[in-house]
Amino acid sequence: MTKTQKLIQPLDRIAIAVILLLSLLIGLIIWKGDGVKPSVRNFTWQNQKIGAEDISFSLTFSRPMDTKSVEENLKVYPVDTKNPEDYAKNCLVNTKTSEDNSKNCPVLVGKISWAGRRMVYTLVTPAPYGTNYKVQLAEARDKFSLQEGKNRRMQPFIGSFSTRDRAILYIGANPEEQGQLVLYNLTQGQKKVITPKDLIVMDFEPFPNGEKILLSARSSKTPDLLSSQLYTVTTGIPSQVGQETEPAGKMDLVLDNKEYQNLKFDLSSDGQRIIVQRGKRDNPGDFGLWYIPVPSNADDKITPKKLQGKPGGDFLITPDSKAVAVAQGQGTAILSLETDTTKPLDFLPQFGLVQAFSKDGSQAAMVKFNTDYTRDLFLVTNQGTQKQLLKTTGSILNCQFDTASPTLYCLLTQLISQEQYIEQPYLVAINLKTEQQKPLLVLPPGQRNVQMNLAPDGLGLLFDQVVSLETTGVPLPANTLKTDEGEPIASSSLWLMPLLPLAENTDIEMKPEALPLVGFHPHWLP
């Protein structure tokens, strides 16, 4: 018994000494206070390359923060990689007041919200493409420093991110690139042909991340415009910094033309579904829409499925990728892509065409065809509101909603000669809140084949000007380029119209710039 007590006593002394030492340390910490500075533990956009679909970033702090001091000191500013120090000095932006020292700097205006130690900054408009940014935060305090009478400042934080390059796609119209799909990077000034010479591209649509393009193309050896097949082709552009991607120009067949002619197609916003309008070669009555799930890899077997119901005309997949709007008879039917397509989810009898949906699907630009051959453009909301925006004696060729402002950009025509039926195209911007219309550009008469496309950041509008080939009855070569209406193309130029929201700088006149490219059907890369 005595031996056991002698063995235990030294251990007890050690334990008591450790407890006393820890108590002394705890007391010192309580007396001096917490000297560890608060810091940013996570920034969701760190070293990321973002696009128009990315609308918010978050900062997570090591402890609860004084929200006012964070919001007053948070700064987001663009960085010129050639001279970052001077650029940051001239463009330093306070996100709370949205004030900047240079009107030429792309300011990221946003709204701040909090959830505990996490701050979320939501952009009001998409970040301008082709720009590098810094996020800076210093001098902010934690939530309890003032209550404790301390002036405890956080560890300075600097984060960085960038936006995708400004890049466009078009169909080449010069002899070297005739009928091929061309990718032109405006930010870097680089051009790349991504489809082979033996295919004539008819139409195309980028996937949401910009890594692949869905396109229809026919052989350059046949003049048959209805012999196109559907393919995907890679762009070689990664969606994120450092991400491995396939090289540009890798093509995979999606849908052949053995039994059916492939007419029109549309790709869903999530890039998972394709709707194709097809007609059977030996049975013209077998005509309608087909649904194709996008395969996850090239080796997956694709099984097209015909949508049941009445055949229709023009169609457009809804922004949620769950339904398709189809022109049927004198109206437009909304058909589900997930349930029975024979029973429409909705039917709008007075509108014969859907020109565009807003990104969130809450609004649609729809066309009403009148008995006097005029056309009305309506804004239709998911709440049932129908508001007429304009009337034209010509055509409503294209409309697109701006993601950066409540603006609808439209390509229209007006009839200037009823005897010869000559139309004059023009571009117009419509403020959806005030219904104010602002003409942007009037194009030469007779150019009805103009196509336009709005930039994902809302800061530019692409359009083409096609020069038709005068025919003399002599058969044309099989590889002759043609418009959607079948007119042969001699040449075509591409133009870029810089844009500003209608609410800002309305006195500034924007003029289109000719791009050093020969092609048509321009489209921005997402």
Side-chain angles (χ1 to χ4, degrees):
M1 190 72 177
T2 307
K3 290 182 179 179
T4 304
Q5 288 178 349
K6 287 181 180 179
L7 289 171
I8 293 174
Q9 285 176 357
L11 294 175
D12 290 342
R13 293 193 193 100
I14 293 172
I16 292 170
V18 171
I19 291 171
L20 290 173
L21 180 61
L22 290 174
S23 300
L24 180 62
L25 291 173
I26 292 171
L28 286 172
I29 291 174
I30 294 173
W31 178 67
K32 291 185 68 178
D34 185 1
V36 179
K37 294 182 178 181
S39 61
V40 173
R41 283 186 173 175
N42 183 51
F43 170 42
T44 54
W45 281 1
Q46 181 63 31
N47 295 329
Q48 296 291 309
K49 188 177 285 289
I50 68 166
E53 71 279 5
D54 300 302
I55 60 172
S56 64
F57 66 79
S58 66
L59 296 174
T60 303
F61 297 89
S62 60
R63 64 183 64 189
M65 300 295 292
D66 174 51
T67 58
K68 184 178 179 181
S69 67
V70 172
E71 294 174 12
E72 288 178 346
N73 289 281
L74 178 66
K75 296 179 176 65
V76 180
Y77 53 91
V79 177
D80 185 348
T81 54
K82 296 180 180 178
N83 200 351
E85 293 184 1
D86 290 348
Y87 200 69
K89 183 178 179 182
N90 294 332
C91 296
L92 204 59
V93 176
N94 187 306
T95 58
K96 179 68 176 177
T97 61
S98 303
E99 293 178 352
D100 64 321
N101 297 325
S102 172
K103 293 182 180 180
N104 296 322
C105 299
V107 182
L108 293 186
V109 181
K111 298 179 180 179
I112 294 177
S113 59
W114 290 86
R117 293 182 290 113
R118 182 169 173 263
M119 186 212 77
V120 178
Y121 190 78
T122 303
L123 304 183
V124 174
T125 60
Y129 275 36
T131 310
N132 298 312
Y133 288 94
K134 292 284 186 184
V135 177
Q136 177 179 314
L137 181 60
E139 302 300 315
R141 300 180 297 271
D142 68 54
K143 188 175 181 180
F144 306 107
S145 62
L146 293 179
Q147 299 176 6
E148 298 170 357
K150 306 290 184 181
N151 191 23
R152 191 165 47 239
R153 310 278 178 174
M154 70 171 289
Q155 294 180 17
F157 169 78
I158 295 180
S160 61
F161 67 94
S162 61
T163 50
R164 295 172 187 164
D165 288 351
R166 296 173 68 84
I168 66 172
L169 296 153
Y170 66 92
I171 301 174
N174 60 16
E176 295 79 18
E177 305 158 354
Q178 186 167 336
Q180 294 177 270
L181 190 60
V182 183
L183 171 64
Y184 184 70
N185 190 316
L186 290 166
T187 302
Q188 301 179 14
Q190 297 177 352
K191 186 170 70 170
K192 189 185 302 180
V193 179
I194 59 175
T195 57
K197 277 187 172 295
D198 61 349
L199 289 179
I200 301 293
V201 177
M202 308 291 291
D203 195 9
F204 63 90
E205 197 168 339
F207 279 79
N209 58 13
E211 294 182 3
K212 290 193 303 181
I213 310 297
L214 177 67
L215 60 92
S216 63
R218 62 179 174 88
S219 170
S220 60
K221 298 178 182 179
T222 174
D224 185 4
L225 298 180
L226 301 179
S227 63
S228 64
Q229 302 187 122
L230 260 62
Y231 303 85
T232 59
V233 63
T234 55
T235 62
I237 298 178
S239 57
Q240 291 297 335
V241 176
Q243 176 182 333
E244 292 186 7
T245 186
E246 293 182 300
K250 182 180 180 298
M251 295 194 67
D252 291 307
L253 179 65
V254 176
L255 190 64
D256 61 38
N257 61 1
K258 293 178 180 178
E259 295 185 41
Y260 288 85
Q261 295 172 328
N262 303 311
L263 306 177
K264 297 180 180 180
F265 69 88
D266 192 25
L267 177 66
S268 63
S269 299
D270 61 5
Q272 299 300 312
R273 296 173 174 179
I274 304 170
I275 300 296
V276 186
Q277 190 179 62
R278 311 178 78 196
K280 198 166 187 180
R281 291 184 174 276
D282 58 0
N283 183 12
D286 188 354
F287 174 85
L289 299 181
W290 291 68
Y291 165 79
I292 304 173
V294 174
S296 55
N297 58 70
D299 297 329
D300 291 347
K301 184 179 179 181
I302 299 174
T303 306
K305 177 184 176 183
K306 187 176 182 179
L307 300 183
Q308 300 302 314
K310 298 178 181 179
D314 289 328
F315 60 95
L316 188 65
I317 301 177
T318 56
D320 62 4
S321 304
K322 296 179 180 180
V324 58
V326 186
Q328 289 185 350
Q330 299 297 318
T332 296
I334 309 297
L335 306 179
S336 173
L337 295 177
E338 298 182 332
T339 58
D340 185 9
T341 57
T342 60
K343 298 178 181 179
L345 300 174
D346 196 4
F347 186 76
L348 301 169
Q350 64 273 50
F351 301 112
L353 179 65
V354 178
Q355 273 290 355
F357 287 106
S358 62
K359 187 177 181 180
D360 60 2
S362 63
Q363 301 177 105
M366 307 190 76
V367 179
K368 179 183 178 183
F369 297 93
N370 302 315
T371 55
D372 61 355
Y373 302 105
T374 61
R375 293 169 172 84
D376 297 332
L377 180 65
F378 274 78
L379 180 69
V380 181
T381 71
N382 57 3
Q383 303 299 316
T385 303
Q386 299 178 4
K387 182 167 59 175
Q388 183 177 351
L389 298 176
L390 58 83
K391 179 188 289 287
T392 179
T393 57
S395 304
I396 301 173
L397 302 177
N398 191 0
C399 288
Q400 293 181 34
F401 285 89
D402 185 10
T403 58
S405 67
T407 305
L408 182 69
Y409 292 97
C410 289
L411 175 61
L412 313 170
T413 68
Q414 58 182 354
L415 196 60
I416 59 175
S417 174
Q418 205 161 20
E419 292 78 14
Q420 299 178 350
Y421 202 84
I422 298 176
E423 297 176 88
Q424 183 165 39
Y426 64 99
L427 293 168
V428 64
I430 305 171
N431 188 315
L432 298 178
K433 288 186 176 180
T434 64
E435 300 182 38
Q436 171 196 359
Q437 296 183 30
K438 181 181 179 181
L440 300 176
L441 182 68
V442 177
L443 297 167
Q447 293 191 359
R448 197 179 182 279
N449 293 306
V450 180
Q451 298 192 49
M452 74 161 195
N453 189 246
L454 181 64
D457 58 8
L459 297 179
L461 195 68
L462 285 172
F463 66 93
D464 58 11
Q465 286 189 284
V466 174
V467 179
S468 298
L469 180 66
E470 295 185 6
T471 58
T472 59
V474 179
L476 297 171
N479 63 348
T480 301
L481 301 178
K482 295 183 179 181
T483 66
D484 293 340
E485 297 180 350
E487 295 182 8
I489 297 174
S491 182
S492 182
S493 57
L494 298 179
W495 297 76
L496 173 59
M497 167 77 79
L499 295 176
L500 287 174
L502 290 184
E504 301 178 10
N505 302 313
T506 53
D507 296 333
I508 298 178
E509 183 181 357
M510 290 296 181
K511 295 183 178 181
E513 306 169 6
L515 298 176
L517 307 169
V518 180
F520 63 101
H521 192 6
H523 200 297
W524 292 94
L525 202 64

